Coordinates of all heavy atoms in Angstrom, one line a residue:
M64 N 3.7 35.2 61.1 CA 4.2 34.3 60.1 C 3.4 33.0 60.2 O 3.2 32.5 61.3 CB 5.7 34.1 60.2 CG 6.2 33.2 59.2 SD 8.0 32.9 59.3 CE 8.7 34.4 58.8
P65 N 3.0 32.5 59.1 CA 2.3 31.2 59.1 C 3.2 30.1 59.6 O 4.4 30.1 59.5 CB 1.9 31.0 57.7 CG 2.8 31.8 56.9 CD 3.2 32.9 57.7
D66 N 2.6 29.0 60.1 CA 3.4 27.8 60.5 C 4.1 27.2 59.3 O 3.5 27.2 58.2 CB 2.5 26.8 61.2 CG 2.0 27.2 62.5 OD1 2.6 28.1 63.2 OD2 1.0 26.7 63.0
R67 N 5.2 26.7 59.5 CA 6.0 26.0 58.5 C 6.1 24.5 58.8 O 6.1 24.2 59.9 CB 7.4 26.6 58.3 CG 7.4 28.1 58.1 CD 6.9 28.4 56.7 NE 6.9 29.9 56.5 CZ 6.5 30.5 55.5 NH1 6.0 29.8 54.5 NH2 6.4 31.8 55.4
K68 N 6.2 23.7 57.8 CA 6.4 22.3 58.0 C 7.7 22.0 58.6 O 8.8 22.5 58.1 CB 6.2 21.5 56.7 CG 4.8 21.5 56.2 CD 4.7 20.5 55.1 CE 3.2 20.4 54.7 NZ 3.1 19.4 53.6
Y69 N 7.8 21.2 59.6 CA 9.0 20.7 60.2 C 9.9 20.0 59.2 O 9.4 19.2 58.5 CB 8.6 19.8 61.4 CG 9.8 19.4 62.3 CD1 10.3 20.2 63.3 CD2 10.4 18.1 62.0 CE1 11.4 19.8 64.0 CE2 11.5 17.7 62.8 CZ 12.0 18.5 63.8 OH 13.1 18.1 64.5
N70 N 11.2 20.4 59.2 CA 12.2 19.7 58.4 C 11.8 19.7 56.9 O 12.1 18.7 56.2 CB 12.4 18.2 58.9 CG 13.7 17.6 58.3 OD1 14.6 18.3 58.0 ND2 13.7 16.3 58.2
T71 N 11.2 20.8 56.5 CA 10.9 20.9 55.1 C 11.4 22.3 54.6 O 11.0 23.3 55.1 CB 9.4 20.8 54.9 OG1 8.9 19.6 55.4 CG2 9.0 21.0 53.4
A72 N 12.2 22.3 53.6 CA 12.7 23.6 53.0 C 11.6 24.5 52.6 O 10.5 24.0 52.1 CB 13.7 23.3 51.9
T73 N 11.8 25.8 52.8 CA 10.7 26.8 52.4 C 11.4 28.1 52.1 O 12.6 28.3 52.4 CB 9.7 26.9 53.6 OG1 8.6 27.7 53.1 CG2 10.3 27.7 54.8
T74 N 10.6 29.0 51.5 CA 11.1 30.3 51.2 C 10.2 31.3 51.9 O 8.9 31.1 51.9 CB 11.0 30.6 49.7 OG1 11.8 29.7 49.0 CG2 11.4 32.0 49.4
I75 N 10.8 32.3 52.6 CA 10.0 33.3 53.3 C 10.2 34.6 52.6 O 11.2 34.8 51.9 CB 10.4 33.4 54.8 CG1 11.9 33.8 55.0 CG2 10.0 32.1 55.6 CD1 12.2 34.1 56.4
Y76 N 9.2 35.5 52.7 CA 9.2 36.8 52.0 C 9.0 37.9 53.1 O 8.2 37.7 54.0 CB 8.1 36.9 51.0 CG 8.4 35.9 49.8 CD1 7.9 34.6 49.9 CD2 9.1 36.3 48.7 CE1 8.1 33.7 48.9 CE2 9.3 35.4 47.7 CZ 8.8 34.1 47.8 OH 9.0 33.2 46.8
F77 N 9.7 39.0 53.0 CA 9.6 40.0 54.0 C 10.1 41.4 53.4 O 10.9 41.4 52.5 CB 10.4 39.7 55.2 CG 11.8 39.3 54.8 CD1 12.8 40.2 54.8 CD2 12.1 38.0 54.5 CE1 14.1 39.9 54.4 CE2 13.4 37.6 54.1 CZ 14.4 38.5 54.1
P78 N 9.6 42.5 53.9 CA 10.2 43.8 53.5 C 11.4 44.1 54.4 O 11.5 43.6 55.5 CB 9.0 44.8 53.8 CG 8.4 44.1 55.0 CD 8.5 42.6 54.8
I79 N 12.2 45.0 53.9 CA 13.3 45.6 54.6 C 13.1 47.1 54.6 O 12.9 47.7 53.5 CB 14.7 45.2 54.1 CG1 15.0 43.7 54.3 CG2 15.8 46.0 54.8 CD1 16.3 43.2 53.8
I80 N 13.0 47.7 55.8 CA 12.8 49.1 55.9 C 14.2 49.8 55.9 O 15.1 49.4 56.7 CB 12.0 49.5 57.2 CG1 10.7 48.6 57.3 CG2 11.7 51.0 57.3 CD1 9.8 48.9 56.2
A81 N 14.3 50.9 55.2 CA 15.6 51.7 55.1 C 15.8 52.3 56.5 O 14.9 52.7 57.2 CB 15.5 52.7 54.1
A82 N 17.1 52.3 56.9 CA 17.4 53.0 58.2 C 17.0 54.4 58.1 O 17.2 55.1 57.1 CB 18.9 52.8 58.4
D83 N 16.5 54.9 59.3 CA 16.1 56.3 59.4 C 15.1 56.7 58.4 O 15.1 57.9 57.9 CB 17.3 57.3 59.3 CG 18.3 57.0 60.4 OD1 17.9 56.7 61.5 OD2 19.5 57.2 60.2
D84 N 14.2 55.8 58.0 CA 13.2 56.1 57.0 C 12.0 55.2 57.2 O 12.0 54.3 58.1 CB 13.8 55.8 55.6 CG 13.0 56.6 54.5 OD1 11.9 57.0 54.7 OD2 13.6 56.7 53.4
T85 N 10.9 55.4 56.5 CA 9.8 54.5 56.6 C 9.6 53.8 55.3 O 8.6 53.0 55.1 CB 8.5 55.3 57.0 OG1 8.3 56.4 56.0 CG2 8.6 55.9 58.4
A86 N 10.4 54.1 54.3 CA 10.3 53.5 53.0 C 11.0 52.1 53.0 O 12.0 51.9 53.7 CB 10.9 54.4 51.9
F87 N 10.5 51.2 52.1 CA 11.2 50.0 51.9 C 12.6 50.2 51.2 O 12.7 51.0 50.3 CB 10.4 49.0 51.0 CG 9.1 48.5 51.7 CD1 8.2 47.9 50.9 CD2 8.9 48.6 53.0 CE1 7.0 47.4 51.5 CE2 7.8 48.1 53.6 CZ 6.8 47.5 52.9
A88 N 13.6 49.4 51.7 CA 14.9 49.5 51.1 C 15.0 48.6 49.9 O 14.8 47.4 50.0 CB 15.9 49.1 52.1
E89 N 15.3 49.3 48.7 CA 15.4 48.5 47.5 C 16.8 48.2 47.1 O 17.1 47.5 46.1 CB 14.7 49.2 46.4 CG 13.2 49.3 46.6 CD 12.5 49.8 45.3 OE1 12.8 49.3 44.2 OE2 11.5 50.6 45.5
D90 N 17.8 48.7 48.0 CA 19.2 48.5 47.7 C 20.0 47.8 48.8 O 21.2 47.9 48.8 CB 19.8 49.8 47.3 CG 19.7 50.8 48.4 OD1 19.0 50.6 49.4 OD2 20.2 51.9 48.3
A91 N 19.3 47.1 49.7 CA 20.0 46.4 50.7 C 20.8 45.3 50.2 O 20.4 44.6 49.3 CB 19.0 45.9 51.8
T92 N 22.0 45.2 50.7 CA 22.9 44.1 50.2 C 23.3 43.3 51.5 O 24.2 43.7 52.2 CB 24.2 44.6 49.5 OG1 23.8 45.5 48.5 CG2 25.1 43.5 49.0
I93 N 22.6 42.2 51.7 CA 22.9 41.4 52.9 C 23.8 40.3 52.5 O 23.5 39.4 51.7 CB 21.6 40.9 53.5 CG1 20.7 42.1 53.9 CG2 21.8 40.0 54.7 CD1 19.3 41.7 54.2
V94 N 25.0 40.2 53.1 CA 26.0 39.2 52.8 C 25.9 38.1 53.9 O 25.1 38.2 54.9 CB 27.4 39.8 52.8 CG1 27.5 40.8 51.6 CG2 27.8 40.4 54.1
A95 N 26.6 37.0 53.7 CA 26.5 35.8 54.5 C 26.4 36.0 56.0 O 25.5 35.5 56.7 CB 27.6 34.8 54.1
D96 N 27.3 36.8 56.6 CA 27.3 36.9 58.0 C 26.3 37.9 58.5 O 26.2 38.2 59.7 CB 28.7 37.2 58.5 CG 29.2 38.6 58.1 OD1 28.7 39.1 57.1 OD2 30.1 39.1 58.8
E97 N 25.5 38.5 57.7 CA 24.4 39.4 58.1 C 23.1 38.8 58.2 O 22.1 39.5 58.5 CB 24.4 40.6 57.2 CG 25.7 41.4 57.2 CD 25.7 42.6 56.2 OE1 25.0 42.5 55.2 OE2 26.5 43.5 56.4
A98 N 22.9 37.5 57.8 CA 21.7 36.8 57.9 C 21.9 35.7 59.0 O 22.7 34.7 58.7 CB 21.3 36.2 56.6
Q99 N 21.4 35.8 60.1 CA 21.6 34.9 61.2 C 20.3 34.2 61.6 O 19.2 34.7 61.6 CB 22.1 35.7 62.4 CG 23.4 36.4 62.2 CD 24.6 35.5 62.3 OE1 24.8 34.9 63.3 NE2 25.4 35.5 61.2
I100 N 20.5 32.9 62.1 CA 19.3 32.1 62.5 C 19.6 31.5 63.9 O 20.8 31.1 64.2 CB 19.0 31.1 61.5 CG1 17.7 30.3 61.8 CG2 20.2 30.1 61.3 CD1 17.2 29.5 60.7
S101 N 18.6 31.4 64.7 CA 18.7 30.7 66.0 C 17.5 29.7 66.0 O 16.4 30.1 65.7 CB 18.6 31.7 67.2 OG 18.4 31.0 68.4
I102 N 17.8 28.5 66.3 CA 16.8 27.4 66.4 C 16.6 27.0 67.8 O 17.5 26.6 68.5 CB 17.2 26.2 65.5 CG1 17.4 26.7 64.0 CG2 16.2 25.1 65.6 CD1 18.1 25.7 63.1
D103 N 15.4 27.1 68.3 CA 15.0 26.8 69.7 C 15.9 27.4 70.7 O 16.3 26.7 71.7 CB 14.9 25.2 69.8 CG 13.7 24.7 69.1 OD1 12.7 25.4 68.9 OD2 13.8 23.5 68.7
G104 N 16.2 28.6 70.6 CA 17.0 29.4 71.6 C 18.5 29.1 71.5 O 19.3 29.5 72.4
G105 N 19.0 28.4 70.5 CA 20.4 28.1 70.3 C 21.2 29.3 69.9 O 20.6 30.4 69.6
A106 N 22.5 29.1 69.8 CA 23.4 30.2 69.4 C 23.0 30.6 68.0 O 22.6 29.8 67.1 CB 24.8 29.8 69.5
F107 N 23.2 31.9 67.7 CA 23.0 32.4 66.3 C 24.1 31.9 65.4 O 25.2 31.9 65.8 CB 22.8 33.9 66.3 CG 21.5 34.4 66.7 CD1 21.2 34.8 68.0 CD2 20.5 34.6 65.7 CE1 20.0 35.2 68.4 CE2 19.2 35.0 66.1 CZ 19.0 35.3 67.4
A108 N 23.7 31.6 64.2 CA 24.7 31.1 63.2 C 24.2 31.7 61.8 O 23.1 32.0 61.6 CB 24.7 29.6 63.1
D109 N 25.2 31.7 60.9 CA 24.8 32.2 59.5 C 23.8 31.3 58.9 O 23.8 30.0 59.1 CB 26.1 32.1 58.6 CG 27.1 33.1 59.0 OD1 26.8 34.0 59.9 OD2 28.3 33.0 58.6
T110 N 22.8 31.9 58.2 CA 21.9 31.1 57.4 C 22.6 30.4 56.2 O 23.7 31.0 55.8 CB 20.7 31.9 56.9 OG1 21.2 33.0 56.1 CG2 19.8 32.4 58.0
T111 N 22.1 29.4 55.7 CA 22.8 28.7 54.5 C 22.8 29.6 53.3 O 23.7 29.7 52.6 CB 22.0 27.4 54.2 OG1 22.1 26.6 55.4 CG2 22.7 26.7 53.0
N112 N 21.6 30.3 53.1 CA 21.5 31.2 51.9 C 21.4 32.6 52.4 O 21.1 32.9 53.6 CB 20.2 30.8 51.2 CG 20.3 29.4 50.7 OD1 21.2 29.1 49.9 ND2 19.4 28.5 51.1
T113 N 21.5 33.6 51.5 CA 21.4 35.0 51.8 C 20.1 35.5 51.1 O 19.7 34.9 50.1 CB 22.6 35.8 51.4 OG1 22.8 35.6 50.0 CG2 23.8 35.5 52.2
P114 N 19.5 36.5 51.7 CA 18.3 37.1 51.1 C 18.5 37.6 49.7 O 19.6 38.1 49.3 CB 17.9 38.2 52.0 CG 18.5 37.8 53.3 CD 19.8 37.2 52.9
T115 N 17.5 37.6 48.9 CA 17.5 38.1 47.5 C 16.4 39.2 47.4 O 15.3 38.9 47.8 CB 17.2 37.0 46.5 OG1 18.2 36.0 46.7 CG2 17.3 37.5 45.1
H116 N 16.7 40.3 46.7 CA 15.7 41.3 46.5 C 14.8 40.8 45.4 O 15.2 40.5 44.3 CB 16.4 42.6 46.1 CG 15.4 43.7 45.9 ND1 15.3 44.5 44.8 CD2 14.5 44.3 46.8 CE1 14.4 45.4 45.0 NE2 13.9 45.3 46.2
V117 N 13.5 40.8 45.7 CA 12.5 40.3 44.7 C 12.0 41.5 43.9 O 11.8 41.4 42.7 CB 11.3 39.6 45.4 CG1 10.2 39.2 44.5 CG2 11.8 38.4 46.2
G118 N 11.8 42.6 44.6 CA 11.3 43.9 44.0 C 10.6 44.7 44.9 O 10.0 44.2 45.9
F119 N 10.6 46.0 44.7 CA 9.9 47.0 45.6 C 10.2 46.9 47.0 O 9.3 47.1 47.9 CB 8.4 46.9 45.3 CG 8.0 47.1 43.9 CD1 7.6 46.1 43.1 CD2 8.0 48.4 43.3 CE1 7.2 46.2 41.8 CE2 7.7 48.6 42.0 CZ 7.3 47.5 41.2
G120 N 11.4 46.5 47.4 CA 11.8 46.4 48.8 C 11.4 45.1 49.5 O 11.6 45.0 50.7
I121 N 10.9 44.2 48.7 CA 10.5 42.9 49.2 C 11.7 41.9 48.9 O 12.2 41.9 47.8 CB 9.2 42.4 48.6 CG1 8.1 43.4 48.9 CG2 8.9 41.0 49.2 CD1 7.8 43.6 50.3
Y122 N 12.1 41.1 49.9 CA 13.2 40.2 49.8 C 12.7 38.8 50.1 O 11.6 38.6 50.7 CB 14.3 40.5 50.8 CG 14.9 41.8 50.5 CD1 14.3 43.1 50.7 CD2 16.2 41.9 49.9 CE1 14.9 44.3 50.4 CE2 16.8 43.1 49.5 CZ 16.1 44.3 49.8 OH 16.7 45.5 49.4
S123 N 13.4 37.8 49.6 CA 13.1 36.4 49.9 C 14.3 35.7 50.5 O 15.5 36.2 50.3 CB 12.7 35.6 48.7 OG 13.8 35.5 47.8
L124 N 14.1 34.7 51.4 CA 15.2 33.9 52.0 C 14.8 32.5 51.9 O 13.7 32.1 52.4 CB 15.4 34.4 53.4 CG 16.5 33.6 54.2 CD1 17.8 33.6 53.5 CD2 16.5 34.0 55.6
D125 N 15.6 31.7 51.2 CA 15.4 30.2 51.1 C 16.0 29.6 52.4 O 17.2 29.7 52.6 CB 16.1 29.7 49.9 CG 15.4 30.2 48.6 OD1 14.2 30.4 48.6 OD2 16.2 30.4 47.6
L126 N 15.1 28.9 53.2 CA 15.6 28.2 54.4 C 15.6 26.7 54.0 O 14.7 26.2 53.4 CB 14.6 28.5 55.5 CG 14.5 29.9 56.0 CD1 13.4 30.1 57.0 CD2 15.9 30.4 56.6
T127 N 16.7 26.1 54.5 CA 16.9 24.6 54.2 C 16.0 23.8 55.2 O 15.6 24.3 56.2 CB 18.3 24.2 54.4 OG1 18.7 24.4 55.7 CG2 19.2 25.0 53.5
A128 N 15.9 22.6 54.9 CA 15.1 21.7 55.8 C 15.8 21.6 57.2 O 15.1 21.7 58.2 CB 15.1 20.3 55.2
A129 N 17.1 21.6 57.2 CA 17.9 21.6 58.5 C 17.6 22.9 59.3 O 17.6 22.8 60.6 CB 19.3 21.4 58.3
E130 N 17.4 24.0 58.7 CA 17.1 25.2 59.4 C 15.6 25.3 59.9 O 15.3 26.2 60.7 CB 17.3 26.4 58.4 CG 18.8 26.6 58.2 CD 19.1 27.6 57.1 OE1 18.3 27.7 56.1 OE2 20.2 28.3 57.2
L131 N 14.8 24.3 59.6 CA 13.5 24.2 60.1 C 13.3 23.0 61.0 O 12.3 22.3 61.0 CB 12.5 24.2 58.9 CG 12.4 25.5 58.2 CD1 11.6 25.4 56.9 CD2 11.9 26.6 59.0
L132 N 14.4 22.7 61.7 CA 14.4 21.5 62.7 C 14.1 22.0 64.1 O 14.8 21.6 65.0 CB 15.7 20.8 62.6 CG 15.9 19.9 61.4 CD1 17.3 19.3 61.4 CD2 14.9 18.7 61.4
G133 N 13.2 22.9 64.2 CA 12.9 23.5 65.6 C 11.5 24.0 65.6 O 10.8 24.2 64.6
K134 N 11.1 24.2 66.8 CA 9.7 24.8 67.1 C 9.7 26.3 67.0 O 8.8 26.9 66.6 CB 9.2 24.3 68.4 CG 7.8 24.7 68.6 CD 7.2 24.0 69.8 CE 5.7 24.3 70.0 NZ 5.0 23.5 70.9
N135 N 10.8 26.9 67.5 CA 11.0 28.4 67.6 C 12.2 28.8 66.8 O 13.3 28.5 67.2 CB 11.1 28.9 69.0 CG 9.8 28.6 69.8 OD1 8.7 29.1 69.4 ND2 9.9 27.7 70.8
I136 N 12.0 29.5 65.7 CA 13.1 29.9 64.8 C 13.1 31.4 64.7 O 12.1 32.0 64.4 CB 12.9 29.2 63.5 CG1 13.0 27.7 63.6 CG2 14.0 29.8 62.5 CD1 12.6 26.9 62.4
I137 N 14.3 32.0 65.0 CA 14.4 33.4 64.9 C 15.4 33.8 63.9 O 16.5 33.2 63.8 CB 14.9 34.0 66.3 CG1 13.9 33.7 67.4 CG2 15.1 35.5 66.1 CD1 14.3 34.1 68.7
I138 N 15.1 34.7 63.0 CA 16.0 35.1 61.9 C 16.3 36.6 62.1 O 15.3 37.4 62.3 CB 15.4 34.8 60.5 CG1 15.2 33.3 60.4 CG2 16.4 35.4 59.5 CD1 14.5 33.0 59.2
V139 N 17.5 37.0 62.1 CA 17.9 38.4 62.3 C 18.7 38.8 61.0 O 19.6 38.1 60.6 CB 18.8 38.6 63.5 CG1 19.3 40.0 63.6 CG2 18.0 38.2 64.8
L140 N 18.3 39.9 60.4 CA 19.0 40.4 59.2 C 19.5 41.8 59.5 O 18.8 42.6 60.1 CB 18.0 40.4 58.0 CG 17.4 39.1 57.7 CD1 16.2 39.4 56.7 CD2 18.4 38.1 57.1
F141 N 20.6 42.2 59.0 CA 21.1 43.5 59.0 C 22.0 43.8 57.8 O 22.5 42.9 57.2 CB 21.8 43.9 60.3 CG 22.9 42.9 60.7 CD1 24.2 43.3 60.4 CD2 22.6 41.7 61.4 CE1 25.2 42.4 60.8 CE2 23.6 40.9 61.7 CZ 24.9 41.2 61.5
D142 N 22.1 45.1 57.4 CA 22.9 45.5 56.3 C 23.9 46.5 56.8 O 23.4 47.6 57.1 CB 22.0 46.0 55.2 CG 22.7 46.5 54.0 OD1 23.9 46.3 53.9 OD2 22.1 47.0 53.1
R143 N 25.1 46.2 56.8 CA 26.1 47.2 57.3 C 26.3 48.3 56.4 O 26.9 49.3 56.8 CB 27.4 46.4 57.5 CG 27.4 45.5 58.7 CD 28.8 44.9 58.9 NE 28.8 43.9 59.9 CZ 28.8 42.5 59.7 NH1 28.8 42.1 58.4 NH2 28.7 41.7 60.7
T144 N 25.9 48.3 55.1 CA 26.1 49.3 54.2 C 25.1 50.4 54.2 O 25.2 51.4 53.5 CB 26.2 48.8 52.7 OG1 25.0 48.2 52.4 CG2 27.3 47.7 52.6
T145 N 23.9 50.2 54.9 CA 22.9 51.2 54.9 C 22.7 51.9 56.2 O 23.2 51.4 57.2 CB 21.5 50.7 54.5 OG1 21.2 49.6 55.4 CG2 21.5 50.2 53.0

């Protein structure tokens, strides 16, 4: 992933792979508590926004400036329905 500007809101794009498959998931529904962020090794917490399906299994996630107040940021996504 390319470097992001510190304390500057941004949008990231990523595919989601269907469970037990190699195809992109076009029907993932990720709700608030399924998108988690850890900043500089801190405890995981819900992201401000949830991912949106852009098309063809590609999703976007809008990160706020506050979510980019760290050097190392980890985002974990999961979908309990798939």
